[in-house]
């Protein structure tokens, strides 16, 4: 069953993402010795991309495990890995001067558009 987010759930999500963005912005300029986020930024884009790739792989493996089992622990592991992937994706966006708002705006633009039509418009066919 697919549900459409209510205004209240959207507000809660926006608040979490806005708060996380503020923390990421503050920690980006912290000491690399004191902040994992600062350390990632100091190591540069390639290190951040490496972490995104690592987390994507871990998310895929957790999804496979969750798909093969109806085990609550496997499903929670998938949620945890997805959170890690999203977190590192937000660090990547931050490093490139973007944030979640750009992604949400793009998703909103695509809302109600056929996935096939949207992909064709991006690829020219």
């Amino acid at each position: 069953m697919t549900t459409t987010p209510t205004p209240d759930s959207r507000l809660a999500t926006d608040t979490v993402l806005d708060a996380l963005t503020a923390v990421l912005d503050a920690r980006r300029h912290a000491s690399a010795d004191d902040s994992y986020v600062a350390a990632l930024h100091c190591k540069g884009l390639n290190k951040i991309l490496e972490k995104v790739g690592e987390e994507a792989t871990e998310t895929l493996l957790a999804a496979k495990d969750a798909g093969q089992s109806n085990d609550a622990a496997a499903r929670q592991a998938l949620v945890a890995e997805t959170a890690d992937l999203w977190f590192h994706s937000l660090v990547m966006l931050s490093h490139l001067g973007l944030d979640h708002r750009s992604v949400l705006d793009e998703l909103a633009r695509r809302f109600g558009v056929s996935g096939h039509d949207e992909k064709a418009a991006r690829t020219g066919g």
Side-chain angles (χ1 to χ4, degrees):
M1 179 172 108
T2 303
T3 60
T4 302
T6 64
D8 289 343
S9 67
R10 172 73 192 252
L11 179 60
T13 302
D14 287 350
T15 302
V16 169
L17 290 172
D18 288 337
L20 182 53
T21 296
V23 169
L24 291 176
D25 288 346
R27 290 187 181 163
R28 179 177 184 169
H29 303 292
S31 165
D33 292 332
D34 297 331
S35 168
Y36 174 70
V37 171
L40 283 174
H41 283 291
C42 284
K43 291 175 184 174
L45 182 60
N46 284 344
K47 181 61 176 180
I48 295 167
L49 296 176
E50 180 183 308
K51 287 301 296 180
V52 171
E54 175 186 319
E55 297 303 340
T57 299
E58 291 174 2
T59 300
L60 293 173
L61 293 172
K64 184 170 176 127
D65 289 346
Q68 293 174 344
S69 146
N70 199 18
D71 180 53
R75 297 176 73 75
Q76 181 54 43
L78 173 57
V79 169
E81 292 299 344
T82 302
D84 290 346
L85 175 59
W86 288 10
F87 173 83
H88 286 89
S89 295
L90 291 170
V91 172
M92 174 191 66
L93 290 170
S94 171
H95 193 81
L96 296 170
L98 298 165
D99 65 28
H100 69 280
R101 289 174 205 92
S102 300
V103 176
L104 293 177
D105 289 346
E106 178 61 14
L107 288 171
R109 183 191 68 76
R110 295 179 186 184
F111 197 81
V113 175
S114 159
H116 293 299
D117 292 344
E118 194 282 326
K119 185 174 181 181
R122 280 189 287 136
T123 61

